Amino acid sequence: MVNILSIQSWVAYGHVGNASAVFPLQRLGAEVWAVNTVQFSNHTGYGAWRGSVHTGDSVRDVVDGIADRGVLGGCDAVLSGYVGGADIGDAILHAVASVRRANPRALYCCDPVIGDVGRGVFVRPGIEDFLRDHAVPAADILTPNRFELERLTGHACPTLEAAKRAVLRLRADMHDQGPACVLVTSLDTAETPPDCLDMLTFEAGGFHRLRTPRLALDINGAGDAIAALFLFHRLRTGSAVAALEAAGSSIYGLLKRTAEAGSREILTVAAQEEFVSPSRLFHAETC
């Protein structure tokens, strides 16, 4: 049994944050200890929503309550996504430290949500610096998209080689500390055919690329799902390549079903078989 502490946002309607990550993990057999940073009616992409934002103290209190049960020694990983404020970021790092004290082998997977191509930066001022200076150095696994990799490193990634240099620069800036495993999503470079999209992994000095057909949809929550799936399969197999292939195949099947239905929300429940038995398997190649 894999136990994952997931600290992310929550929406009642739709699938982003924990609402995008928890069910796929459970469907795969993981036990998920979900700690929510917000409780919204729907994701903010609709332009209007209702609900409340939890404080860092409230998030920390929930994590400490889990620790009081004496179970953190059985936690295999901490997963974090969108950080709404510096206090939430501090609470996440508190959770990571608490888990590592109880289980030094536990991993921290940080999805460094900053923004995306076309939308630009959409986090609050100071969050980008927090991620770069504190969260990323603490992470074992990092899952940025191309835009976020460029923001974190200050290096543009118009080509595959440039993206690989940016990943290496990320570790060089931290004196080879920080994330030993990196997954770059939404990687569209000069080498990527117009009808395709790439993902790139780095681990143990090696790079691998996985290419899938490009789908005609723009949807929220896909990054949350791919980070969760990649973390689970990396825990299960111990291999970033195997995790890339399994997670990439599942997310493609999920998004293909969503595109075919013309849905504005990811069909997380309707397409759940894609998590356990993807309808199409993709294979990574060394690059």
Side-chain angles (χ1 to χ4, degrees), residues 1-8 10 18 21-36 66 77 79 228 232:
M1 177 69 70
V2 172
N3 298 307
I4 297 174
L5 175 61
S6 181
I7 307 175
Q8 302 193 58
W10 181 265
N18 267 338
V22 171
F23 180 71
L25 290 171
Q26 291 173 329
R27 187 67 178 81
L28 286 164
E31 189 69 47
V32 186
W33 307 341
V35 178
N36 300 326
I66 298 173
L79 171 64
F232 174 85

Side-chain angles (χ1 to χ4, degrees), residues 45-257:
Y46 285 95
W49 66 93
R50 299 191 185 193
S52 59
V53 178
H54 300 318
T55 66
D57 285 341
S58 66
V59 170
R60 182 186 295 248
D61 197 39
V62 172
V63 172
D64 288 345
I66 298 173
D68 290 343
R69 305 284 67 77
V71 297
L72 290 188
C75 183
D76 298 292
V78 178
L79 171 64
S80 70
Y82 177 82
V83 177
D87 61 331
I88 296 293
D90 290 340
I92 291 170
L93 294 184
H94 167 75
V96 172
S98 297
V99 169
R100 282 177 169 163
R101 280 195 299 271
N103 179 13
R105 297 180 63 184
L107 301 179
Y108 170 37
C109 178
C110 173
D111 182 13
V113 179
I114 296 171
D116 206 347
V117 175
R119 298 177 63 189
V121 174
F122 51 68
V123 294
R124 293 178 179 177
I127 297 302
E128 193 171 350
D129 291 336
F130 165 80
L131 291 169
R132 182 185 300 107
D133 298 337
H134 301 286
V136 172
D140 300 290
I141 301 173
L142 194 71
T143 62
N145 59 33
R146 172 187 164 177
F147 178 84
E148 290 156 351
L149 178 63
E150 291 177 336
R151 298 288 299 191
L152 289 170
T153 62
H155 290 270
C157 302
T159 65
L160 178 62
E161 287 303 315
K164 291 164 63 175
R165 288 195 299 270
V167 171
L168 294 175
R169 181 54 185 260
L170 187 71
R171 290 184 51 77
D173 287 346
M174 300 174 191
H175 307 290
D176 289 330
Q177 300 300 309
C181 178
V182 179
L183 167 69
V184 184
T185 64
S186 302
L187 186 60
D188 185 0
T189 69
E191 295 86 358
T192 310
D195 59 347
C196 294
L197 199 59
D198 294 335
M199 287 189 285
L200 177 72
T201 57
F202 169 81
E203 187 175 54
F207 286 95
H208 290 79
R209 179 181 64 191
L210 185 137
R211 176 167 291 164
T212 60
R214 187 185 295 268
L215 297 168
L217 83 168
D218 181 15
I219 203 158
N220 296 73
D224 306 317
I226 189 65
L229 291 167
F230 183 79
L231 170 61
F232 174 85
H233 290 294
R234 175 60 179 74
L235 287 169
R236 180 180 62 85
T237 66
S239 165
V241 179
L244 173 63
E245 293 179 336
S249 297
S250 287
I251 200 70
Y252 174 77
L254 172 64
L255 296 180
K256 185 173 184 290
R257 285 281 303 276

